[in-house]
Amino acid sequence: MSLKAKTITGFFWSLSQQFGVQITSIVVTVFLARILEPSDFGLIGMLAVFMALGNSLIDAGMTSSLIRTKDADQRDYSTVFFINLIVGILVYAIMVACSGFISQFFDQPELEHIVKIYCLTFVIYPFSAVQRTRLVKMMDFKTEMKITIPSTLLGGITGLVLAFQGYGVWSLVAMNLLQNLLLSIQFWIYSKWRPSLLLDWSLFKKHFDYGAKLTLAGIINSVFSNIYHLVIGKYYPLAQLGYYTKADSLKQIPVKNISTTLSKVTFPLFSEIQDDDARLKVAYKRIMQQVLFWLTPVMALSAVLAEPLFRIVLTEKWLPAVPYFQILCFIGLMFPVHSYNLNILKVKGRSDLFLKLEIIKKSLTLIGIVLALPYGIFALLWTQVILNLVAFGINSFYSGRFIDYHVFKQIQDIFPIFFVGALSALGSWLLMDWVQNIPFLDWIHLIGGGLIGMIIYFLIMWGAKSEPFIDFRRIILKR
């Protein structure tokens, strides 16, 4: 199968997996949000930074090294498997030892017991990390779909049953733990690969040398990507963290479905053509435009229609989360651009530059948080938006130098998509402003506004003969 065909097929199955998982998660989340209180989600939100930090330590960037290594063999895979397992056990032991300090920091005694159970995923994950990596490397996302959807469904059903029976936050703990356990078991069953009892230190050094800087960058990114959970949980009421956590998780639904799907496909794709800068530039540009072509109207219309969406789906008790969600939608738009720019650095082997940029960006984040904290949670959120724009400039400046695709050219290619997305959002808002005081108003706003916005968006894109629209029609539909 050609690289182009592998990429398109991989995209299809990866997108199917993401949509299947997310549809299941959305249904489960809606029911859980209706049953549980914002404070229950706030307690789990307090652990976000620790979970992200632990996962970065366990992976150590070595699975990315496996994907990038064209001649990886049994010794490579087995070495990474056992290193991941050893680190996973150590990370869990550290979290158990620190559980009391974490609960004291947030002044939430229940957190001590939650940490000890919730963090068992650090021990479970390494048993399937290499199996997952092999599937990604082969772009076998069809098998991954068969594994993830049943695991998400069974874990979600368990969480709902426990929530109905009054277990509160523990229903979220049980759901997460069971989903991860089922994932590992199925990856082990479906994968034809088994580790050999060997650990090659020379291969460990090779993968660690590449992954160490990515790991340190990942740790920095994990801490600062979730630092808002930490700050809000420490300095604001628990319910506010619950609102922020729910708004952030809903923002991630379209982002994960579209951009994460392509991110999983693009890294092995970019790795295949890492030595051909001309092809790499063309692939990067077309993929970035394609993902923003679909993500932009979804995020723009979600921000405009947030209030009826929250009222219908989550009930009025979650309405305080609406302004959080609207601001976070701006951040969601920038995620794929960051991801693909950084993938260029990774496939070029410049993990040193990757780390350097993370240190610069996170230093700016820390300064922004310190300056915004006295002015309340909305100042923190808008600071996050500004810092994301600055991060785009930094990432694209450096990655663009490797493939002759500089920051201003990137802006030139993506600005029309954002502009048309803004026009579609304006059309949707005007409809909402015009239609008032009639029965089923929220449903009319949500469905009518969404349809009007999408029609405006695609008509303008079709009339303007935009590049991503032509690419989709010529490549995807033809395929």
Side-chain angles (χ1 to χ4, degrees):
M1 187 183 293
S2 69
L3 182 59
K4 177 179 173 182
K6 282 174 64 179
T7 303
I8 295 172
T9 303
F11 168 73
F12 172 78
W13 287 113
S14 183
L15 187 64
S16 299
Q17 176 223 332
Q18 286 292 334
F19 267 107
V21 169
Q22 289 301 318
I23 288 171
T24 304
S25 298
I26 289 169
V27 173
V28 171
T29 298
V30 167
F31 282 103
L32 286 174
R34 287 171 172 266
I35 301 167
L36 303 177
E37 295 300 319
S39 58
D40 294 323
F41 290 92
L43 283 169
I44 298 300
M46 288 175 173
L47 300 181
V49 65
F50 304 106
M51 299 303 296
L53 179 60
N55 287 328
S56 296
L57 286 170
I58 293 169
D59 180 70
M62 290 190 288
T63 54
S64 293
S65 181
L66 287 175
I67 294 174
R68 184 176 178 273
T69 303
K70 294 183 178 180
D71 57 349
D73 58 20
Q74 180 69 7
R75 300 181 71 84
D76 292 272
Y77 291 121
S78 297
T79 297
V80 172
F81 175 86
F82 285 110
I83 293 297
N84 281 350
L85 183 58
I86 292 168
V87 175
I89 294 171
L90 289 174
V91 170
Y92 175 69
I94 292 170
M95 289 302 298
V96 170
C98 295
S99 59
F101 298 107
I102 294 172
S103 67
Q104 290 175 18
F105 177 80
F106 289 109
D107 194 24
Q108 298 291 334
E110 193 174 7
L111 267 183
E112 182 173 358
H113 303 293
I114 292 173
V115 168
K116 293 176 181 178
I117 305 300
Y118 199 79
C119 290
L120 280 170
T121 55
F122 292 146
V123 180
I124 296 170
Y125 170 75
F127 281 99
S128 62
V130 171
Q131 285 88 338
R132 298 179 195 215
T133 301
R134 285 172 59 85
L135 291 178
V136 172
K137 190 178 178 71
M138 295 183 293
M139 294 191 184
D140 185 6
F141 300 108
K142 181 178 180 180
T143 300
E144 190 175 6
M145 181 187 71
K146 294 178 180 178
I147 294 170
T148 52
I149 292 178
S151 302
T152 304
L153 180 60
L154 291 174
I157 291 172
T158 301
L160 285 172
V161 170
L162 293 175
F164 273 117
Q165 293 181 349
Y167 282 90
V169 68
W170 287 100
S171 59
L172 299 175
V173 175
M175 179 179 70
N176 179 69
L177 196 62
L178 183 59
Q179 285 175 347
N180 279 276
L181 181 61
L182 291 174
L183 281 171
S184 283
I185 291 172
Q186 289 189 90
F187 273 113
W188 194 272
I189 292 172
Y190 277 89
S191 175
K192 297 178 181 179
W193 179 82
R194 296 291 182 270
S196 301
L197 289 174
L198 56 88
L199 202 161
D200 190 317
W201 288 105
S202 63
L203 289 175
F204 164 68
K205 185 177 184 302
K206 167 191 167 184
H207 293 298
F208 186 75
D209 283 347
Y210 172 81
K213 296 182 182 69
L214 289 181
T215 301
L216 187 51
I219 290 171
I220 295 170
N221 186 58
S222 297
V223 171
F224 281 89
S225 295
N226 294 280
I227 197 169
Y228 293 92
H229 291 85
L230 194 68
V231 172
I232 294 170
K234 176 65 177 176
Y235 294 102
Y236 299 100
L238 183 58
Q240 279 196 303
L241 178 57
Y243 295 136
Y244 176 83
T245 300
K246 181 56 61 183
D248 188 53
S249 66
L250 288 178
K251 176 262 294 182
Q252 290 291 348
I253 291 173
V255 173
K256 283 187 175 180
N257 275 331
I258 300 173
S259 67
T260 304
T261 296
L262 275 171
S263 185
K264 288 167 64 178
V265 177
T266 55
F267 186 51
L269 165 66
F270 290 168
S271 296
E272 290 266 356
I273 56 176
Q274 60 185 282
D275 300 320
D276 189 337
D277 289 347
R279 290 181 69 194
L280 196 56
K281 174 184 176 180
V282 172
Y284 170 79
K285 173 185 173 181
R286 293 173 77 174
I287 288 170
M288 181 176 68
Q289 285 185 320
Q290 195 61 227
V291 70
L292 289 176
F293 174 72
W294 295 102
L295 186 62
T296 298
V298 174
M299 300 305 292
L301 293 173
S302 294
V304 171
L305 302 170
E307 187 170 336
L309 176 66
F310 271 65
R311 191 180 286 113
I312 291 171
V313 175
L314 300 178
T315 71
E316 292 197 358
K317 72 178 178 181
W318 287 98
L319 285 181
V322 166
Y324 302 175
F325 175 75
Q326 291 172 321
I327 297 171
L328 291 173
C329 282
F330 289 100
I331 299 169
L333 270 178
M334 299 306 300
F335 177 83
V337 185
H338 295 317
S339 177
Y340 304 145
N341 270 295
L342 294 176
N343 271 351
I344 297 295
L345 300 182
K346 288 164 69 177
V347 300
K348 286 295 185 180
R350 291 303 306 272
S351 54
D352 58 329
L353 182 56
F354 190 105
L355 173 60
K356 177 183 176 181
L357 297 185
E358 286 303 306
I359 292 174
I360 293 172
K361 290 181 294 185
K362 300 325 176 193
S363 299
L364 293 174
T365 298
L366 190 60
I367 293 171
I369 289 173
V370 171
L371 293 176
L373 188 61
Y375 300 100
I377 191 169
F378 289 106
L380 282 173
L381 294 177
W382 282 114
T383 300
Q384 197 174 353
V385 173
I386 294 169
L387 290 170
N388 264 265
L389 295 174
V390 173
F392 162 71
I394 294 172
N395 290 339
S396 57
F397 174 79
Y398 284 96
S399 66
R401 291 165 60 185
F402 286 100
I403 58 174
D404 192 29
Y405 190 34
H406 299 292
V407 57
F408 292 110
K409 180 59 179 172
Q410 292 189 38
I411 293 173
Q412 182 182 341
D413 288 336
I414 65 177
F415 177 77
I417 301 174
F418 289 158
F419 180 71
V420 177
L423 290 179
S424 68
L426 176 62
S428 179
W429 178 80
L430 289 174
L431 175 69
M432 291 177 62
D433 188 58
W434 179 57
V435 180
Q436 297 289 343
N437 302 319
I438 60 175
F440 305 105
L441 181 61
D442 284 336
W443 284 99
I444 291 172
H445 279 173
L446 187 61
I447 298 173
L451 285 175
I452 290 294
M454 284 295 184
I455 290 171
I456 292 172
Y457 181 81
F458 285 108
L459 279 178
I460 294 176
M461 285 295 188
W462 173 72
K465 294 182 172 59
S466 69
E467 285 186 80
F469 183 85
I470 294 171
D471 273 348
F472 177 76
R473 187 175 60 185
R474 184 177 65 241
I475 299 174
I476 306 298
L477 292 183
K478 182 179 177 181
R479 173 70 181 173

